Amino acid sequence: MILYSTLAKGPKLPFEYQLNSTRHFMRELNRLGVTGVIDAGGGFQNYSDDYEVIQKLSDENQLTVRIAYNLFTQKPKEEKEDFLRWTSSVKYKQGTDYFRHNGVGEMLVFSAADFEDFRQPRPDMPPEMEGDLEEVVRILAENKWPWRLHATYDETISRALDVFEKVNKDIPLQGINWFFDHAETISQKSIDRIAELGGGVAVQHRMAYQGEYFVERYGAVAAEATPPVKRILESGVKTSAGTDATRVASYNPWVSLSWLTTGKTVGGTRLYPQRNLLDRETALRMWTENVAWFSNEEGKRGRIEVGQFADFIVPSKDYFTVPEDEISFLTSHLTVVGGRIVFGDGDFASLDENPLPPAMPDWSPTRKFKGFAAWGDPEGAGKNSLSPIRQQAIASCGCASSCGLHGHDHAKAWGSSIPSSDLKSFFGALGCSCWMV
């Protein structure tokens, strides 16, 4: 909360600047292939005052990302009053296919919120957690409003499930698309309890950024299934992927896809054994088809088929065949939302229907650096962040022995099972010369 409260003390941009920066951020998301988001609220984001910018852009048909927003309580000890007020003044799913209400969370009550800083010991939730949470969950269940609950540790999840099961005895929760966010240390017992109640788990790639801290505190074995995504899926629990952007992790979905399929952090640490990794198709479905349950849009989005939204992308490379260390560097060459081309690059640049005015103010860093990894400044700030480490090593190789088969990608040959150092084989003296470096 220190970070959130500090950010809240900063100067507020003029409304015109907020409109401009929001449009640029949506374009950055489009550049990465994002066509829709679920907004989980956030600290110091008050409804409805802080939603005026998005509402205006929606009214003027300038949204290029579909937004399903959740209401996030802001005042400790006043959570119940917030939800009583909202359930009487806001209609569930009010809005359009581009901007609409999706439920509440990820903060339901402050007494149930554990944090995600793995450099610190796990926090124990206070004894009043269950009572506070039950009051709010009963209000939501009675109004059939979906909710999401931030929960990092199984200790928090199991206590929350005690509350959900109690409420379920009086008000069935089946059919209310409720779920936990994060769940890094969730147990199989808790997974089974969620399945019994018809809930879900939304997985974010926080471990891609904090995995080393987790290992340092809890050990490598404990980190092998954080969270146990494969087991959650196999247990029949609704499961989707996300980012937890923009404060806790990056908004780049390709970093998440890389983490889910390789088990590596952005720093290169391999957290998960092969048995806990997802294949690329399963990971991609978590980002597309599976998300529809969490945004309460099943049958409307997530697949390319008749009757669903005309939202799709053309990635910069084939996600299914690129080397694993290139997945996180993919972008979109063409992004279409609602049949409209909202981003075009390369051969598709001339088709782009979403021209934007320059970023405001005129000294805005966005004008030079653009977005993720400073892609707008490839020879400067983005020089060491826009390609895999292996590609950087190839580019910076200073040896005089360019291999006829591998160029300067000597590490690929050294790490392969091909006998590149066998002088009598084709891959030795007659071909690969990486052994000479």
Side-chain angles (χ1 to χ4, degrees), residues 16 39 55 105 136 140 162 178 189 194-195 201 226 236 247 382 385 428:
E16 181 183 8
D39 171 35
Q55 185 63 64
V136 168
L140 300 174
D162 291 341
W178 65 269
K189 182 178 180 180
I194 293 171
V201 176
T226 49
R247 295 167 177 172
S385 57

Side-chain angles (χ1 to χ4, degrees), residues 28 139 241 324 340 348 420:
E28 169 68 358
I139 294 169
E324 67 173 32
R340 175 190 173 200
F348 300 105
S420 59

Side-chain angles (χ1 to χ4, degrees), residues 85-152:
R85 183 174 67 258
W86 288 333
T87 52
S88 63
S89 63
V90 177
K91 184 179 179 180
Y92 170 52
K93 284 190 175 183
Q94 71 178 30
T96 68
D97 287 334
Y98 280 85
F99 180 50
R100 62 170 183 78
H101 174 249
N102 190 53
V104 302
E106 59 183 305
M107 180 72 78
L108 298 185
V109 292
F110 282 80
S111 57
D114 60 11
F115 55 74
E116 64 280 340
D117 186 351
F118 298 126
R119 294 170 297 180
Q120 300 295 323
R122 178 184 62 81
D124 287 318
M125 299 296 96
E128 64 267 23
M129 168 186 158
E130 284 82 353
D132 293 346
L133 188 58
E134 182 181 346
E135 286 188 331
V136 168
V137 170
R138 284 191 178 276
I139 294 169
L140 300 174
E142 288 169 354
N143 287 275
K144 303 298 182 184
W145 273 29
W147 68 83
R148 59 193 301 164
L149 179 64
H150 166 107
T152 302

